[in-house]
Amino acid sequence: MATYDDDNIFAKILRGEIPCKKVYEDEHVLAFHDIRPQAPVHVLVIPKGKYVSFDDFSAEATPAEMAGFFRAVGKVARDLKLDAPGYRLLANTGADGGQEVPHFHVHIFGGRKL
């Protein structure tokens, strides 16, 4: 398993060093608009814990962190009114999976037919 890099951009966002356009936040999760949207709605949902990938998160996160994360993904989709028309979730893992930031995150895409 890869070592967590405290200098990744999401860690800096979580520490408040880099601003974001926040959509939702609680004790386990931060959700914000992607700075390079690939759909009319493109939100990133990240856990506040230091998890590199889905593999890392699924193996190491507490049950409360896991439940909080997945509930937050659904809440964000509902709050953005994406539940009725539909949306896409994407989580890239590792270099071969196209993961650019080494902090586990889920993309929520919506606002048009994908």
Side-chain angles (χ1 to χ4, degrees):
M1 202 172 304
T3 304
Y4 187 81
D5 175 10
D6 282 314
D7 287 327
N8 78 71
I9 192 167
F10 293 169
K12 291 178 180 181
I13 289 170
L14 285 168
R15 291 193 300 265
E17 296 170 10
I18 296 175
C20 70
K21 189 175 171 188
K22 189 184 308 182
V23 173
Y24 175 78
E25 184 173 19
D26 66 20
E27 70 267 25
H28 299 296
V29 173
L30 175 65
F32 54 92
H33 290 278
D34 194 294
I35 61 170
R36 294 180 304 189
Q38 297 181 20
V41 177
H42 185 173
V43 171
L44 302 172
V45 182
I46 66 173
K48 290 187 173 179
K50 296 180 178 185
Y51 302 106
V52 175
S53 64
F54 179 77
D55 181 64
D56 184 20
F57 183 74
S58 66
E60 302 296 329
T62 67
E65 288 174 305
M66 285 186 200
F69 181 82
F70 288 105
R71 284 190 178 112
V73 170
K75 178 176 177 25
V76 168
R78 286 187 303 277
D79 288 353
L80 295 172
K81 309 284 190 247
L82 299 175
D83 51 324
Y87 56 95
R88 178 176 295 163
L89 299 177
L90 174 70
N92 300 316
T93 299
D96 285 358
Q99 185 177 6
E100 294 178 12
V101 179
H103 184 112
F104 172 55
H105 58 286
V106 169
H107 299 256
I108 301 174
F109 300 102
R112 68 171 164 80
K113 188 171 178 96
L114 301 166

